Amino acid sequence: MRLPARTLECTLRRFHSGTFSRAGASATQLETSSSNFLSYVLTVSVSYPANVESRAKHGLHPSYELYQDGLEDATPISEAELDSLLKDLFRPSPPKEPQSKLDDISRRKYSISPTHHDVLESLKERLNLRLDGPVIQEETGGKQQPTLADKLLARLAPVNEPALSNVAEKHHATQHHDFLKVYARLEAAIQKAEQSLASSSTAPIVTVPLGVATLHEWTSLFNQALIARDRGTAESVLQLMKRSGVTVPVEQYDSLMAAYVSARDADGAAEYLERQRQAGILPTKTQQHLHVQAFLEAHRIQEARSIVFRYEEENRPPAQETYLLLVKTLLSSRSAMAGQHRATAWDTFAHMRYVAHPNPSAEMYSTMISACADASVPQPHRALDLFTEMTVDHKIPPTRDAYNAVIRACARSRDKAFAYEAFRLAKELVETHNSIEADTVEEQSIKDSLRPNIDTFSALLEVTMRTGDLARARWILAEMIQAGERLNDTILGHVFHTYATYNPSMKKSLVKELGKTQEASVEPEHEPIEASSQPTEVTTSSENNSNLMPQTRAGILREVKALFWRIISGHGSEGSAPGFNPDLAFSGVQITTNLLNSLLAVHYRHSTTSAAIRIYNEVFPQFNVARNSQSYADALAALVISKSGKESAKVKIKARELAEPIWESWVEWRASLRSNPSDYTSGDAAISPRRIEKMYSDMIRIRIGAGDCPGAVDLVKDFVKHYPPDALSRVEIAQASSDPSRKSSSRISLEAKQRLLVRLTTDLEITDVAIPPFLTFSDISPIHQMLLRSQESNRKKHLSYLTWVSNAYAGHLKQRKLLATLGKNVRA
């Protein structure tokens, strides 16, 4: 059919003059979707008859008069104005913003701007709606049936109910109350239009939008429902949009799924997608991602994996970002099944490459390389293999995160060969950054993305911390300060630990130069660190040069004290010198528990024991910082007298006197963590089972060294009371280490049936991180040896008890291993 020229001319005139706002959108709003508007105008013009008789013949609803009203008295439009308007309509849209990652949509925040209220008011005014008017009801068989509008209005709670005591909450509830009324009237108007169209003798030539609301108005209604956390009404809005003839943008479906994810309503998200499937709408990649994320947010990991398997069976595997999210969630697990989840993460990585995405992305490679570094036993070989596969085999440009991950994996290895490899990779990163010529903004962005950051320096300092390479640690710290990097407590903690592991070498020439002082052979008592004390200058001729390494333990302590004073002065604390400006490089360093623990590690290694314990007792209250389990463990370990040591009995008794207050303080701190001390898996796991064992073992050795055998036996009894042997073989704990989905059938099959097709780990390789504390014979052997030499009357009783304790823990531990690996519950 040929388009009537006057109809198009008058319609465009109304659009150009802005009078089309009665249809729900201004000229500015419709220009943002010019192509949709033009097709909309053409559709209305083609299908709309020219006179009233033709309209009645075709059975068109009277609400279409809205678009015809005012056309007769419209002024003619010139050809120049028409050409200008058409150029504006067909002007190319600005370039789109780069598409965000799939998991970013769940973090989307919705806010109603002031114009949205005007949109709703315009909608009510155009349709001549009154909130107090009756709701149209459907008549069936002479009886009025409740419509969707009635059901929505029935859900409305009184605005002044007692629960809404806050004024802002009342205002929000009132707005949502009015919104539901507006939506109910819209549903009633659309229902009336559908009844009119159904009762007409002849169907319309072309299906056209009913025109009760524009896309912008529907979007405002949809966003208002999401803000009110009314996901059911938001879904109803989308259904009503389809009934009114408006094409629902796919972003609206994604936003509704994101709302389910934000609310951690995994079941609601699954039910919504199931309704979409029944309607013939399959989920997109984004909706698949949100579907999996909803279950991961609800901590239902096994069900999330089943969803991924289901999509694979449908030959519609999720995007690689979905697998990445699943792998990251498994690797970050801190539950009793952390070891199981870590193994499953590696298997999922291999399964993804076989089933869906053979070529992992740079972010996926970085994540798996980080997993090599964060493992209980670092895997530098595997990390280097993945890095080589990424950069050499697949020609993927390495990112800074990939470099940092592989450097950290090499740094955490105890092999010095990997330590040198870490510095080689860091040098490669710097050379790659310097080789990029930033002639354009894009090249400058790439160059900045490869600039070594604080994580790079932290990984390198882990190398120096483990190797005691103080020269490199000082150089890295100087480079960071010169580059303007803001230091933090982690960086300074690594530096302090490097000082603790550094072994000073005293030369004969230096001893002669010191003369009578003989600084190398003297370990003075060091006073507690004061916030107001400025470090004294080092006057020794051999150590006043900052380029020289400290040659004595006293020199190390002076250097550490000077560094810690810079941290204090960086905060501009009270007592600093008048007119002193805080050191900006150290201003971001917070005095935390871990920082003080690393500082004390230097004193435990290079100072006297009594001086180190005195600083331990004073430094935490001085800076108002709480101790953690590492604080107590380090202090107690420093008081353990080595077996080969020739210390006198007086020294051992003094060590016991210093250890008892620390032990009592730790017992009180442990009791304050949770009501059940044996429930180490609850809360944030502030104390690990292995550290509990170490604390008891060290305290046993300290009491045995002081000759207190009964006190050591009491420690064993206290341990058995809090952590009984049968806790090792409890079914609910041991079975947590076994995942039924990993149990592979003996039958070989390449069909994906809710299982992993490729596995990189076996059940024997899984680390059981949920093993409760237990004692071995080596922990209680000092008591056993003293009892053998003792002449006490009850020594046989104590020996029998220690034998039972050792065998009980060993037997239940064996039973746990069998239950976890073979699923057999046998008697020890």
Side-chain angles (χ1 to χ4, degrees):
M1 179 182 293
R2 186 175 181 179
L3 182 65
R6 179 170 177 78
T7 303
L8 176 60
E9 177 183 348
C10 295
T11 305
L12 292 176
R13 160 65 68 178
R14 298 189 63 190
F15 170 74
H16 186 69
S17 60
T19 57
F20 211 85
S21 60
R22 292 182 59 189
S26 63
T28 304
Q29 295 165 344
L30 288 175
E31 281 178 354
T32 59
S33 56
S34 58
S35 59
N36 294 335
F37 168 72
L38 185 61
S39 62
Y40 180 81
V41 172
L42 293 177
T43 304
V44 174
S45 301
V46 171
S47 60
Y48 203 91
N51 50 58
V52 179
E53 292 76 8
S54 299
R55 292 195 294 272
K57 180 179 179 180
H58 288 90
L60 297 183
H61 192 266
S63 63
Y64 288 167
E65 295 292 339
L66 177 65
Y67 301 104
Q68 190 70 9
D69 182 27
L71 295 182
E72 290 75 7
D73 56 351
T75 58
I77 184 172
S78 64
E79 294 296 332
E81 291 176 334
L82 182 59
D83 292 340
S84 176
L85 179 59
L86 291 178
K87 289 180 180 179
D88 292 338
L89 289 175
F90 289 100
R91 180 183 295 122
S93 58
K96 296 181 179 180
E97 295 291 334
Q99 187 176 4
S100 59
K101 297 180 181 179
L102 293 180
D103 54 355
D104 291 342
I105 190 172
S106 62
R107 306 292 186 262
R108 183 180 300 171
K109 302 297 183 182
Y110 299 94
S111 59
I112 293 296
S113 60
T115 58
H116 287 188
H117 179 72
D118 299 336
V119 169
L120 298 180
E121 290 296 330
S122 175
L123 181 61
K124 292 188 295 183
E125 180 181 355
R126 189 183 73 253
L127 297 177
N128 195 20
L129 298 176
R130 294 180 58 188
L131 298 181
D132 298 332
V135 179
I136 301 175
Q137 292 184 339
E138 175 183 9
E139 294 186 4
T140 305
K143 297 182 179 180
Q144 291 185 341
Q145 300 294 332
T147 63
L148 176 61
D150 296 318
K151 297 176 182 178
L152 286 173
L153 292 175
R155 289 166 47 191
L156 295 176
V159 177
N160 57 350
E161 62 182 5
L164 300 179
S165 58
N166 188 279
V167 177
E169 292 180 356
K170 288 183 179 180
H171 178 69
H172 180 74
T174 303
Q175 286 184 340
H176 190 55
H177 191 279
D178 294 341
F179 153 74
L180 288 179
K181 285 189 175 182
V182 172
Y183 171 78
R185 302 305 177 183
L186 279 175
E187 194 273 341
I190 292 176
Q191 183 178 3
K192 183 176 180 181
E194 291 174 340
Q195 292 173 357
S196 300
L197 292 174
S199 61
S200 61
S201 58
T202 304
I205 300 175
V206 181
T207 302
V208 298
L210 299 180
V212 295
T214 63
L215 179 60
H216 181 64
E217 292 171 337
W218 284 117
T219 303
S220 299
L221 290 170
F222 177 75
N223 288 342
Q224 176 62 39
L226 293 183
I227 290 175
R229 298 181 178 88
D230 193 349
R231 295 179 292 277
T233 302
E235 184 178 353
S236 300
V237 170
L238 298 183
Q239 295 175 355
L240 204 57
M241 288 175 66
K242 295 174 61 177
R243 289 173 57 187
S244 66
V246 178
T247 302
V248 180
V250 68
E251 291 80 6
Q252 306 289 11
Y253 294 113
D254 298 342
S255 299
L256 182 55
M257 278 295 298
Y260 282 105
V261 174
S262 301
R264 295 187 177 182
D265 187 3
D267 294 329
E271 293 172 0
Y272 165 70
L273 286 183
E274 188 62 30
R275 290 192 295 269
Q276 292 290 95
R277 284 177 178 270
Q278 295 176 359
I281 303 176
L282 295 178
T284 62
K285 295 292 184 183
T286 302
Q287 293 167 11
Q288 288 179 345
H289 180 86
L290 293 172
H291 189 193
V292 176
Q293 185 178 359
F295 282 86
L296 293 178
E297 293 284 347
H299 306 290
R300 297 161 66 174
I301 298 179
Q302 186 58 40
E303 294 177 69
R305 294 176 57 203
S306 300
I307 294 171
V308 173
F309 291 145
R310 176 184 176 184
Y311 285 130
E312 292 173 350
E313 292 173 0
E314 296 174 352
N315 199 21
R316 301 177 64 251
Q320 188 170 164
E321 288 80 358
T322 306
Y323 289 96
L324 177 62
L325 177 64
L326 178 58
V327 168
K328 285 184 175 180
T329 304
L330 290 169
L331 291 176
S332 61
S333 174
R334 295 295 181 268
S335 65
M337 296 182 63
Q340 174 69 45
H341 288 163
R342 177 169 290 272
T344 304
W346 282 103
D347 295 344
T348 302
F349 173 68
H351 174 83
M352 177 204 73
R353 302 187 66 177
Y354 183 82
V355 174
H357 307 284
N359 298 322
S361 62
E363 188 175 3
M364 177 65 82
Y365 272 117
S366 301
T367 301
M368 303 315 298
I369 295 173
S370 296
C372 298
D374 299 334
S376 57
V377 178
Q379 301 171 316
H381 292 94
R382 174 180 271 186
L384 290 172
D385 289 343
L386 288 173
F387 187 79
T388 303
E389 178 186 326
M390 169 187 172
T391 57
V392 178
D393 298 345
H394 293 289
K395 308 297 182 183
I396 299 177
T399 61
R400 180 173 56 193
D401 292 338
Y403 272 111
N404 292 344
V406 70
I407 291 173
R408 190 167 61 253
C410 294
R412 294 181 179 178
S413 173
R414 297 187 181 275
D415 191 345
K416 287 189 176 182
F418 289 108
Y420 297 132
E421 185 68 15
F423 280 100
R424 185 194 68 80
L425 291 168
K427 181 180 179 182
E428 181 180 317
L429 173 60
V430 174
E431 291 176 350
T432 304
H433 169 265
N434 295 334
S435 64
I436 299 177
E437 297 181 359
D439 297 332
T440 62
V441 177
E442 182 179 358
E443 292 177 349
Q444 182 63 41
S445 176
I446 296 176
K447 184 173 183 177
D448 293 339
S449 66
L450 291 174
R451 185 190 304 274
N453 60 358
I454 196 168
D455 294 331
T456 311
F457 295 115
S458 177
L460 293 176
L461 285 173
E462 288 195 42
V463 180
T464 64
M465 178 181 66
R466 287 173 170 81
T467 59
D469 194 346
L470 183 57
R472 277 199 172 101
R474 296 171 69 185
W475 171 75
I476 293 172
L477 184 62
E479 287 293 323
M480 294 183 66
I481 296 176
Q482 186 177 2
E485 290 283 350
R486 295 291 296 274
L487 307 178
N488 55 29
D489 60 307
T490 302
I491 294 293
L492 271 299
H494 292 339
V495 173
F496 286 148
H497 277 296
T498 305
Y499 277 101
T501 56
Y502 172 69
N503 292 318
S505 58
M506 192 63 187
K507 299 180 181 180
K508 293 183 179 180
S509 58
L510 184 59
V511 175
K512 293 179 181 179
E513 187 176 356
L514 290 174
K516 297 181 181 180
T517 60
Q518 295 291 330
E519 188 178 12
S521 60
V522 178
E523 292 186 350
E525 297 285 334
H526 296 279
E527 69 281 2
I529 296 177
E530 298 290 344
S532 60
S533 61
Q534 189 170 353
T536 58
E537 295 294 335
V538 182
T539 57
T540 307
S541 60
S542 63
E543 295 187 356
N544 58 359
N545 191 345
S546 60
N547 294 327
L548 296 178
M549 302 296 297
Q551 302 297 314
T552 63
R553 298 184 184 275
I556 292 175
L557 293 173
R558 283 199 300 269
E559 195 167 308
V560 168
K561 182 178 179 180
L563 187 58
F564 189 72
W565 183 85
R566 291 193 67 181
I567 297 175
I568 299 174
S569 62
H571 291 269
S573 60
E574 297 180 2
S576 54
F580 180 78
N581 294 325
D583 195 330
L584 295 179
F586 293 85
S587 59
V589 181
Q590 300 296 326
I591 300 179
T592 61
T593 304
N594 291 332
L595 180 63
L596 295 182
N597 288 342
S598 60
L599 174 67
L600 288 169
V602 183
H603 289 270
Y604 294 146
R605 175 72 187 279
H606 300 295
S607 181
T608 59
T609 303
S610 58
I613 296 300
R614 186 169 65 250
I615 295 176
Y616 162 84
N617 291 329
E618 297 179 1
V619 71
F620 288 100
Q622 179 180 349
F623 294 100
N624 195 23
V625 176
R627 298 182 178 93
N628 58 11
S629 61
Q630 184 72 40
S631 307
Y632 297 106
D634 291 346
L636 208 60
L639 295 170
V640 176
I641 306 299
S642 63
K643 183 177 180 181
S644 59
K646 298 180 180 179
E647 291 82 0
S648 62
K650 183 178 180 181
V651 174
K652 296 179 180 179
I653 294 175
K654 179 65 175 178
R656 189 258 176 94
E657 292 177 355
L658 295 174
E660 288 296 339
I662 298 175
W663 175 258
E664 296 296 333
S665 179
W666 177 79
V667 171
E668 295 177 0
W669 175 81
R670 180 188 60 176
S672 65
L673 290 180
R674 50 185 67 93
S675 57
N676 183 9
S678 62
D679 186 14
Y680 55 90
T681 59
S682 64
D684 57 354
I687 181 170
S688 67
R690 309 290 79 80
R691 184 157 292 164
I692 294 175
E693 299 166 1
K694 186 68 167 54
M695 290 289 293
Y696 273 92
S697 177
D698 289 344
M699 195 59 196
I700 288 174
R701 295 180 183 277
I702 292 174
R703 288 186 177 180
I704 290 296
D708 186 7
C709 186
V713 174
D714 291 340
L715 284 176
V716 177
K717 294 180 179 179
D718 183 75
F719 185 93
V720 174
K721 175 183 177 182
H722 287 92
Y723 313 102
D726 60 349
L728 289 168
S729 58
R730 287 175 184 169
V731 176
E732 63 270 19
I733 297 179
Q735 287 183 343
S737 302
S738 180
D739 183 2
S741 67
R742 290 180 54 88
K743 300 300 181 182
S744 59
S745 174
S746 59
R747 181 180 178 182
I748 300 177
S749 175
L750 296 181
E751 297 181 1
K753 294 183 178 180
Q754 295 292 316
R755 68 181 184 89
L756 297 166
L757 297 184
V758 183
R759 291 175 55 180
L760 295 180
T761 57
T762 63
D763 292 337
L764 297 177
E765 300 176 57
I766 298 176
T767 303
D768 188 358
V769 298
I771 300 178
F774 63 94
L775 291 176
T776 62
F777 182 75
S778 61
D779 296 324
I780 60 179
S781 60
I783 310 177
H784 188 271
Q785 294 176 6
M786 176 168 282
L787 287 174
L788 291 177
R789 299 190 302 266
S790 176
Q791 300 298 326
E792 295 182 4
S793 58
N794 56 353
R795 72 183 186 94
K796 291 185 177 181
K797 178 181 178 181
H798 290 333
L799 285 172
S800 300
Y801 176 74
L802 293 179
T803 303
W804 172 83
V805 169
S806 177
N807 292 335
Y809 281 111
H812 284 285
L813 184 62
K814 179 181 179 180
Q815 182 177 349
R816 181 187 182 90
K817 290 180 179 179
L818 292 174
L819 184 61
T821 56
L822 304 177
K824 297 180 180 180
N825 191 2
V826 298
R827 296 188 62 181

